[in-house]
Amino acid sequence: MVRRRRLLALAGGTAVLGLAGCAEQKSEFLVTQTRLVHREGDRQYDYPQDILYEVSIENTGPQRQEGRVEMRLVYEPGDGESRSWSKTDPISLSRGTSVQEQYVFEDVFDLDRDTDDYRLEAEIVQDGG
């Protein structure tokens, strides 16, 4: 019987420590993933000259977060001149949520280019503290 109580006491202490670790977890408001979409027949953009990016954004914090998504689409061919395009969009997310937004970059693609030479840099910028 003493052995069982000791085991339960140890298990209870471990559970409390585990919960304490969760309470200290840093909350974040960030871009978690970007995905290029470039296919014929998609009605969300004009193919082939436009490129669509799906951007996943997450707020793991305990309160609503606001800011803006700042994006920079970069075209970097291995043997040519680089180009870039910028786009900014306001964002507001309630606590503990994630969304997937879609952004179209118009007139950025030529048929002699490869989509592998494009990359999207995206981040959340918040004013103030």
Side-chain angles (χ1 to χ4, degrees), residues 39-129:
R39 60 183 173 249
E40 191 170 2
D42 200 314
R43 294 185 174 137
Q44 300 172 64
Y45 59 93
D46 293 329
Y47 180 87
Q49 65 270 23
D50 298 347
I51 291 179
L52 172 84
Y53 268 90
E54 293 178 344
V55 178
S56 300
I57 302 163
E58 181 175 288
N59 174 13
T60 62
Q63 60 193 16
R64 175 172 289 280
Q65 296 286 332
E66 295 182 357
R68 62 187 179 276
V69 184
E70 291 190 355
M71 296 163 281
R72 183 171 168 244
L73 178 61
V74 178
Y75 170 69
E76 282 186 317
D79 58 350
E81 186 177 328
S82 297
R83 298 205 48 207
S84 67
W85 301 265
S86 297
K87 187 177 283 278
T88 301
D89 189 44
I91 186 88
S92 178
L93 276 184
S94 60
R95 64 186 179 135
T97 61
S98 62
V99 295
Q100 188 174 67
E101 299 290 343
Q102 297 182 332
Y103 298 101
V104 175
F105 287 84
E106 297 177 342
D107 298 319
V108 298
F109 187 79
D110 290 325
L111 290 175
D112 59 338
R113 294 181 180 168
D114 186 350
T115 56
D116 289 340
D117 293 331
Y118 288 83
R119 78 172 187 283
L120 183 68
E121 300 167 351
E123 67 177 335
I124 303 293
V125 176
Q126 294 179 280
D127 295 326

Side-chain angles (χ1 to χ4, degrees), residues 19-38:
L19 290 174
C22 291
E24 294 175 12
Q25 182 180 5
K26 182 181 176 188
S27 63
E28 296 181 305
F29 184 39
L30 68 152
V31 171
T32 57
Q33 183 177 17
T34 63
R35 186 173 78 91
L36 174 117
V37 178
H38 193 248

